[in-house]
Amino acid sequence: YIAFEYQVRGWYSDGGQIDAGGRMDMSDVSDIITYIESMTSSWNVNSGRIAMCGISLGAGIALLSAAHDQRITATLSLSGWSNLTQMIYDVETPNLAWGKLLELSANLVGHPSAALTELLNDVLNHQNMSFMYSYTAERSPATWLDRFNSRKIPVLLSQNYVDRLFRPQHTANFFERLQGPKYLLLNRGGHAEAEIPGLILDHTFIWTK
C-alpha cells in the first residue's frame, strides 16, 4: 500500500478556510490524487485502485470525494455523515450542543469561513434557511446517491450508537439506498469513539474489518 495523509483545509496549521466538504475540499482531494499519480514511476502507483478513508470530518470528505472524483474506486467513512442537513437541523431543530461545540473548535484550532459562521448563526436563529439548505445539500453524500449507484462504488460505513453529532439512523438510511458493494458497522460508543483507537493500536475490530 501507499498511504498518503493530509491536513484538511482550514484546520490547525493548514492554510485557507474551513470548507466542510465543499468544492474546495473536493478540489484538494483531486489535487492530491493527481500528485500521487505523478509519482507513479518512483512509488509504483496503481491508479486503478485508489481508496479514501477518514474519521469524522475526514469521513465526510472521503465519502463525498468518491462521488466527485471517478479515480476513487472505494471509500471508507468512519463516524462521518451522509446527510449534513439532518446533522445540523434534524426535524427542523438545531443541533444546539454539537453546533456550539463545532463553532468553538473551529474558532480555537481552525479558520472558519464567513459562510460557515453565517450558517451556524442562521441555524441557531432560524433565519435565511434557504442558504442553510443549499450549503448542506451540496455537502451531503446523500445528494449524490445516483453517482454512487451508477458507478457501484464499494462503500464501508462505520457509525456508533450514541453518536449525537452524526446520528447512526441517517447513515443506516443511506446504506439501505446504496446499490453497490457495501458494508455497515454499528458500534458501541459516541462520536468517533470506536474508530480512533485504531489510529494508534494494531488489530482493532473496526480497522481489521
Side-chain angles (χ1 to χ4, degrees):
Y1 294 91
I2 298 167
F4 191 102
E5 181 180 5
Y6 79 104
Q7 181 58 58
V8 174
R9 171 186 293 266
W11 287 95
Y12 300 99
S13 61
D14 189 79
Q17 297 179 324
I18 297 170
D19 194 37
R23 296 179 185 180
M24 291 184 291
D25 277 333
M26 296 302 98
S27 178
D28 290 342
V29 172
S30 292
D31 287 345
I32 288 166
I33 295 173
T34 298
Y35 173 75
I36 293 171
E37 289 182 328
S38 75
M39 303 297 289
T40 295
S41 59
S42 55
W43 291 358
N44 193 27
V45 176
N46 183 346
S47 296
R49 303 186 70 179
I50 295 176
M52 285 288 293
C53 178
I55 298 175
S56 191
L57 172 61
I61 291 175
L63 199 53
L64 282 162
S65 62
H68 286 79
D69 194 314
Q70 295 192 8
R71 294 173 294 180
I72 296 173
T73 57
T75 186
L76 303 90
S77 174
L78 313 179
S79 273
W81 71 86
S82 58
N83 189 313
L84 194 60
T85 308
Q86 291 175 326
M87 171 257 167
I88 291 176
Y89 199 61
D90 198 17
V91 293
E92 299 186 354
T93 303
N95 193 338
L96 185 61
W98 277 102
K100 288 292 187 181
L101 180 60
L102 288 174
E103 182 179 28
L104 177 64
S105 61
N107 286 312
L108 282 176
V109 297
H111 313 285
S113 64
L116 180 60
T117 301
E118 178 184 345
L119 172 77
L120 294 172
N121 181 69
D122 288 345
V123 169
L124 293 177
N125 291 284
H126 301 274
Q127 64 186 20
N128 194 21
M129 300 311 291
S130 60
F131 167 70
M132 185 278 294
Y133 285 118
S134 174
Y135 185 100
T136 56
E138 178 187 354
R139 293 161 171 81
S140 294
T143 300
W144 313 102
L145 182 68
D146 59 332
R147 296 187 183 182
F148 286 94
N149 289 339
S150 64
R151 289 182 53 215
K152 301 294 190 291
I153 303 168
V155 175
L156 183 144
L157 302 169
S158 175
Q159 215 74 31
N160 304 322
Y161 281 116
V162 290
D163 189 338
R164 295 297 181 257
L165 178 59
F166 304 140
R167 297 177 184 270
Q169 60 265 39
H170 302 319
T171 297
N173 178 267
F174 178 72
F175 176 81
E176 290 177 357
R177 297 164 65 195
L178 288 170
Q179 297 175 1
K182 56 186 179 179
Y183 199 95
L184 174 63
L185 293 166
L186 293 173
N187 321 292
R188 296 176 180 175
H191 181 64
E193 282 184 20
E195 296 87 2
I196 286 178
L199 297 178
I200 54 176
L201 301 174
D202 291 334
H203 310 301
T204 60
F205 173 77
I206 290 170
W207 290 90
T208 299
K209 286 290 184 180

